[in-house]
Amino acid sequence: MINLNRLAMFVAVVECGSFTAAADTLGTTKAVVSFNVRQLEEELSVALLTRSTRRLALTEAGERFFQDCAQLLRQAEMAVEQVRSGHSTFSGSLRVTASVDYGNLVVAPALAEFARLHPALRVSYQASSAHADLIAERLDVAIRVGPLEDSRHRANPIGHFKLAIVASSSLLMATGTPASLQAMAALPWLANRSGQTTQWSLLDPEGKPHTIRVRNVAHADTASALLAFVLAGCGVAALPDWLLDEHIKSGRLHILMPEYALPGTEVFAVYPDTRHVSAKVRGFIDHLRDSVARGS
């Protein structure tokens, strides 16, 4: 019978990129990890990794085996969680990913609080602008902002936030505060690289939609980078409310045409569609939803 510990060591080597890093993660020695991976290859009569002085790489068989092992280990962890689900504390590991800005400002603090409440739980947080492969990277939960594209996973709503069109005091001193949608559209705009939209739809106080076309003068791939451009007076941008409070209160930024509203943006917790959802995943999703509700 294949030793599950050897499977876990093999997966750790792939995820960490080296035997040394895997040993550090697992709390053992490089020699132990190397021996067990070598034994696993001998038992399977298949080379899983190609080794050189500079890097490790998966063989074709190793790539397929890694995907299966990662899923098998996840299922084993979930089986343990199901047995322990009646207890008030969570244990094992919880791996969470989120977009850079929303993750660092909203998700990471909530995850830190959740970890403090459950000290037996080992948490891991990964901020990324790209959508991670939950199965391949053995992630438990992804917090995603905006419309969902991946139907292979389950999704629970976490909350929503609003976008506001903002400009700096210095820009408005140079251009004047726009008194109409057309005047606002004529200002230099900044765009999120993932959207690069040149058209915005806003609702007036009666709920009637109005569309404006804008000219983008710069792009950035995160909301915090766009905020830096706005603060420098480079242009106006539509930014999330959770990023703006401090700057609005200080007077460095101003909301333009506040009587017109942009559509809200939904936030979801996405997790693998498995037969049993672990108690720690359900617990964290509930905790994050409560944290977002308290902050709204």
Side-chain angles (χ1 to χ4, degrees):
M1 181 179 292
I2 294 294
N3 187 323
L4 284 180
N5 285 329
R6 287 178 180 159
L7 299 187
M9 289 185 185
F10 165 64
V11 168
V13 169
V14 176
E15 291 179 339
C16 296
S18 73
F19 287 95
T20 301
D24 290 341
T25 299
L26 297 171
T28 185
T29 65
K30 176 183 176 182
V32 169
V33 175
S34 180
F35 171 79
N36 278 277
V37 172
R38 211 163 40 240
Q39 287 295 110
L40 179 62
E41 290 179 314
E42 290 183 8
E43 291 168 1
L44 295 172
S45 299
V46 172
L48 301 173
L49 297 165
T50 57
R51 302 160 175 84
S52 70
T53 55
R54 292 187 176 181
R55 62 188 294 270
L56 291 173
L58 286 166
T59 63
E60 184 177 351
E63 178 68 42
R64 293 195 303 269
F65 191 62
F66 167 71
Q67 302 290 343
D68 292 338
C69 286
Q71 179 138 2
L72 177 63
L73 291 172
R74 178 188 291 275
Q75 290 172 343
E77 286 183 359
M78 289 174 54
V80 172
E81 283 297 321
Q82 287 297 314
V83 172
R84 293 173 173 167
S85 60
H87 296 276
S88 59
T89 59
F90 301 122
S91 61
S93 62
L94 177 66
R95 303 174 183 90
V96 178
T97 184
S99 59
V100 175
D101 293 316
Y102 188 81
N104 290 347
L105 287 176
V106 180
V107 179
L111 180 60
E113 183 182 24
F114 190 68
R116 181 182 59 80
L117 294 172
H118 304 285
L121 192 63
R122 302 188 308 277
V123 301
S124 174
Y125 172 68
Q126 173 183 316
S128 174
S129 298
H131 281 185
D133 186 325
L134 301 188
I135 301 300
E137 299 185 38
R138 297 185 64 206
L139 293 163
D140 296 298
V141 187
I143 307 304
R144 291 182 176 164
V145 173
L148 294 177
E149 299 176 357
D150 193 348
S151 61
R152 297 175 302 166
H153 302 311
R154 297 187 189 183
N156 282 1
I158 293 297
H160 68 278
F161 60 83
K162 297 178 181 178
L163 294 173
I165 299 172
V166 293
S168 68
S169 297
S170 60
L171 179 70
L172 295 180
M173 287 180 62
T175 65
T177 301
S180 67
L181 291 180
Q182 291 72 25
M184 184 174 68
L187 294 172
W189 279 66
L190 310 167
N192 188 307
R193 186 171 294 278
S194 63
Q196 298 190 19
T197 183
T198 57
Q199 183 171 295
W200 292 93
S201 180
L202 302 95
L203 299 177
D204 65 20
E206 285 73 41
K208 181 181 177 181
H210 298 263
T211 300
I212 60 173
R213 296 191 66 84
V214 303
R215 177 179 59 90
N216 295 320
V217 298
H219 303 86
D221 63 356
T222 65
S224 57
L226 282 179
L227 175 62
F229 278 88
V230 175
L231 289 169
C234 296
V236 304
L239 292 172
D241 54 12
W242 42 264
L243 195 62
L244 298 174
D245 287 347
E246 172 189 346
H247 304 289
I248 298 295
K249 290 176 182 176
S250 70
R252 285 175 290 185
L253 292 184
H254 303 272
I255 298 177
L256 304 184
M257 307 297 293
E259 64 273 26
Y260 289 86
L262 288 167
T265 301
E266 299 292 328
V267 180
F268 296 91
V270 178
Y271 51 97
D273 186 9
T274 54
R275 181 178 301 177
H276 301 291
V277 180
S278 68
K280 63 189 176 187
V281 167
R282 291 196 304 269
F284 174 65
I285 291 174
D286 290 341
H287 178 83
L288 178 60
R289 186 184 293 115
D290 290 344
S291 178
V292 168
R294 291 196 304 269
S296 61

